[in-house]
Amino acid sequence: MTAIESLRARIERIAGGRRRAKSALAFGVEALDERLPDGGLARGVLHEIAGGGRNGGDGPAAALFAAGIAARTKGKVLWCLSRPDLFAPALAQAGLSPDRVIYVEARDEKTVLACMEEGLAHGGPAVVVGEAARLSMTASRRLNLAAEKTGSIAICLRRWSRPNDAAEFGRPTAAATRWRISALPAAPLPVPGIGRARWRVELIRSRGGETVDLELEACDASGRLAFPADLSDRSAAPPVERANRRASA
């Protein structure tokens, strides 16, 4: 192979990685998709998701939001964690069936991030999820680079048990998007029973896109979000005023 051919092959590999990074997984909720630069959640990059409360009480909603994203992809999902408290049947209710998930229980968060990077570099899983309270800029860049090379979706699920750890979520990282998910009261039913859960979904950072703050029905059995029925007929519905501000790059 000549030097020119070698250079062309190298450029093609780089361009191929960039094309993979530009493909996206649409939410099917226009108010969300239109604020993401690729019309959905970009593949081949890192995303951050956390519960809205400082005491970790909204952690389950954040985990189910991540499960709903994974449910709408094809292929295996690698889920790395250091605390064995994940409830698989709940993930299944959000559309992520147990036979698609490979669980890796690590001894600490540092190992969780290392397992995430290894899974992303392998390229087999469509989605790699890792649970960690802390995420440094260096670690996030490594995860982002590994995801870019293979086109997998990387999700860092930020979990904490102490309020002080919640401050870590505000520190800069290389993630393309940052989400905050909070549980809201379910819609009342006309008969005794529990209605579909509702979440406050905040896209608080979107590189090259916009932020948004919505009230949505939680993921259904296919991993899809929806506007509550009492809001679905309101065209301007849900974004609050601050939803239109441009996110920092």
Side-chain angles (χ1 to χ4, degrees):
M1 181 181 291
T2 66
I4 293 178
E5 289 173 337
S6 177
L7 180 60
R8 284 174 177 169
R10 185 177 178 185
I11 292 172
E12 179 60 29
R13 286 196 297 272
I14 294 172
R18 288 175 178 169
R19 282 195 294 271
R20 285 194 295 271
K22 288 182 179 179
S23 66
L25 178 70
F27 282 95
V29 177
E30 185 178 356
L32 277 183
D33 291 333
E34 68 183 7
R35 286 172 170 79
L36 293 162
D38 299 310
L41 198 73
R43 293 181 171 90
V45 293
L46 173 67
H47 305 277
E48 287 182 85
I49 302 171
R54 294 181 61 85
N55 60 1
D58 289 315
L64 292 175
F65 181 76
I69 291 171
R72 291 182 290 106
T73 64
K74 296 181 180 180
K76 291 294 184 180
V77 176
L78 182 67
W79 200 298
C80 309
L81 65 164
S82 59
R83 291 181 283 181
D85 58 357
L86 195 64
F87 190 53
L91 302 188
Q93 289 183 347
L96 185 57
S97 59
D99 60 348
R100 290 189 55 202
V101 187
I102 301 171
Y103 296 101
V104 175
E105 187 176 336
R107 64 177 180 271
D108 53 36
E109 291 187 355
K110 182 178 180 180
T111 310
V112 165
L113 297 176
C115 291
M116 282 187 69
E117 185 177 349
E118 186 68 23
L120 289 166
H122 180 272
V127 180
V128 176
V129 181
E131 302 180 6
R134 298 173 180 269
L135 181 66
S136 68
M137 177 61 79
T138 299
S140 66
R141 283 174 174 165
R142 292 178 65 94
L143 293 174
N144 203 61
L145 181 61
E148 184 178 285
K149 288 179 179 178
T150 59
S152 299
I153 295 176
I155 297 175
C156 186
L157 187 58
R158 305 293 298 275
R159 292 189 59 187
W160 46 78
S161 54
R162 299 176 300 178
N164 289 343
D165 290 338
E168 290 289 328
F169 189 55
R171 297 182 183 276
T173 69
T177 65
R178 179 176 285 174
W179 303 80
R180 191 162 51 203
I181 313 299
S182 306
L184 297 174
L189 296 176
V191 295
I194 300 175
R196 183 172 171 180
R198 291 188 179 187
W199 294 337
R200 181 181 182 187
V201 175
E202 298 174 83
L203 174 57
I204 58 178
R205 183 179 188 272
S206 176
R207 189 167 61 222
E210 299 176 1
T211 59
V212 70
D213 184 342
L214 302 172
E215 179 179 333
L216 298 173
E217 289 186 340
C219 294
D220 61 13
S222 63
R224 297 193 175 277
L225 302 164
F227 281 125
D230 53 350
L231 296 178
S232 60
D233 60 346
R234 292 160 55 185
S235 57
V240 297
E241 289 300 321
R242 64 176 177 277
N244 295 318
R245 69 178 186 274
R246 175 69 60 175
S248 58

